[in-house]
Amino acid sequence: MHGIHAALVTPFTHDGEVDAKSLERLAAHCLEQGVDGLVALGTTGEATLLTSEERRTVLEVCRGVFEESGHPLIVGAGTMGTEDSIRQAREHAPYADALLVVVPYYLRPSDDGVIDHFAAVGAAVDVPLIAYNVPYRTGKQLSVDALLKILALDCVAGMKHCADAIDAGTLALSAADLGPGKWLLCGDDAYIYPMLQLGAAGGVAASACLAPSAYATMYDATLHGEAGDGLAMHNALLPLARALFAEPSPSVLKACLAEIGLIDDPAVRAPLHASHPESTAAALRAFRALPL
């Protein structure tokens, strides 16, 4: 689970169907440009807005691309309920090298309830879990002790950590001895470089759909001790990450991907709204300013 994993959008046709050809083109492009893996059916992929049949289409396309590349495929699976999360995990596991399972959202269960949730989902499938800790989306702020207990579960191989800051919890997780086969991944595009410097194994980035080679370059420079080059690329990527998240993701990202021809249509599903032209233009300016 080292390296940069691009969080894929789910492209749609003009008629609102899943655009399998655009998805295949985008996935192959990201891998060819140096990312270490991809994430399908995450937040960026609008997974909760897809039907089960549409999710299966996404997985079949992505698995086909990955069979040729040999890279790992992480697949989102998880809802606010444990039983439904188990059902979804079982459906997605045959396509996945690991399942990205979000902390149960909206209900704000106790820390013990969240730990039990991950244990139950992990016991139901034969692939490892990546716990997805994103309090600003779920409404559930876990203690550092609870995060470490989740990581200590045999079924959990790592954590996608999205604190939207380098906060006390991030520092504690980064300093902890997670043990062999346990990975900490940064899930906030703008914070991947500082978290790599703190010891994270890699990152999951929606922005890497648009700029995969730049994120791969930043990771490689940081990994090989060329901190100045890694920092320079981080500073170049920061305006892009900010611009792509100026509106609810993935609206601006999809508009940019369509503009440069990686997907055919920028459509998002309601209640998401199409990117405003000025937001798309700002993101494209930041993308075209990258030192590639």
Side-chain angles (χ1 to χ4, degrees), residues 141-166:
Q141 185 74 49
L142 288 159
S143 66
V144 172
D145 182 63
L147 293 173
L148 292 173
K149 286 180 178 178
I150 291 168
L151 277 162
L153 293 170
D154 290 341
C155 59
V156 174
M159 180 170 291
K160 178 186 174 186
H161 182 63
C162 306
D164 198 27
I166 303 296

Side-chain angles (χ1 to χ4, degrees), residues 9 32 49 62 64 66 71 94 101 118 124 131 149 166 178 185 192 194-196 215 232-233 241 248 254 265-266 278:
V9 303
E32 290 165 0
L49 305 179
C62 291
F66 275 80
H71 289 75
V101 179
F118 281 102
K149 286 180 178 178
I166 303 296
L178 303 181
L185 301 172
I192 291 176
M195 281 193 62
L196 289 173
Y215 275 91
M233 187 58 80
K254 278 188 158 182
D265 195 284
E278 57 270 26

Side-chain angles (χ1 to χ4, degrees), residues 123-216:
V125 293
D126 294 328
V127 297
L129 308 186
I130 305 294
Y132 182 12
N133 178 46
V134 55
Y136 55 83
R137 287 188 182 273
T138 64
K140 172 59 182 175
Q141 185 74 49
L142 288 159
S143 66
V144 172
D145 182 63
L147 293 173
L148 292 173
K149 286 180 178 178
I150 291 168
L151 277 162
L153 293 170
D154 290 341
C155 59
V156 174
M159 180 170 291
K160 178 186 174 186
H161 182 63
C162 306
D164 198 27
I166 303 296
D167 61 2
T170 303
L171 294 175
L173 280 176
S174 299
D177 181 6
L178 303 181
K182 302 283 183 175
W183 318 110
L184 183 62
L185 301 172
C186 177
D188 290 309
D189 296 21
Y191 291 97
I192 291 176
Y193 174 78
M195 281 193 62
L196 289 173
Q197 291 286 51
L198 289 169
V204 175
S207 306
C209 278
L210 184 62
S213 61
Y215 275 91

Side-chain angles (χ1 to χ4, degrees), residues 31-103:
L31 294 174
E32 290 165 0
Q33 293 297 308
V35 301
D36 298 282
L38 299 182
V39 178
L41 299 182
T43 307
T44 306
E46 299 172 73
T48 58
L49 305 179
L50 304 179
T51 66
S52 58
E53 291 79 10
E54 288 173 328
R55 289 194 291 268
R56 188 175 303 109
T57 297
V58 169
L59 293 176
E60 288 172 351
V61 170
C62 291
R63 193 70 254 174
V65 173
F66 275 80
E67 290 298 338
E68 298 180 5
S69 74
H71 289 75
L73 175 62
I74 301 173
V75 175
T79 70
M80 70 169 69
T82 300
E83 291 303 318
D84 199 36
S85 295
I86 289 172
R87 177 194 56 77
Q88 196 173 102
R90 285 173 171 161
E91 289 176 356
H92 295 180
Y95 302 91
D97 296 296
L99 292 172
L100 182 66
V101 179
V102 69
V103 170

Side-chain angles (χ1 to χ4, degrees), residues 5-23:
H5 302 260
L8 291 172
V9 303
T10 300
F12 301 120
T13 67
H14 185 69
D15 295 328
E17 304 294 325
V18 170
D19 183 352
K21 290 184 178 179
S22 286
L23 177 59

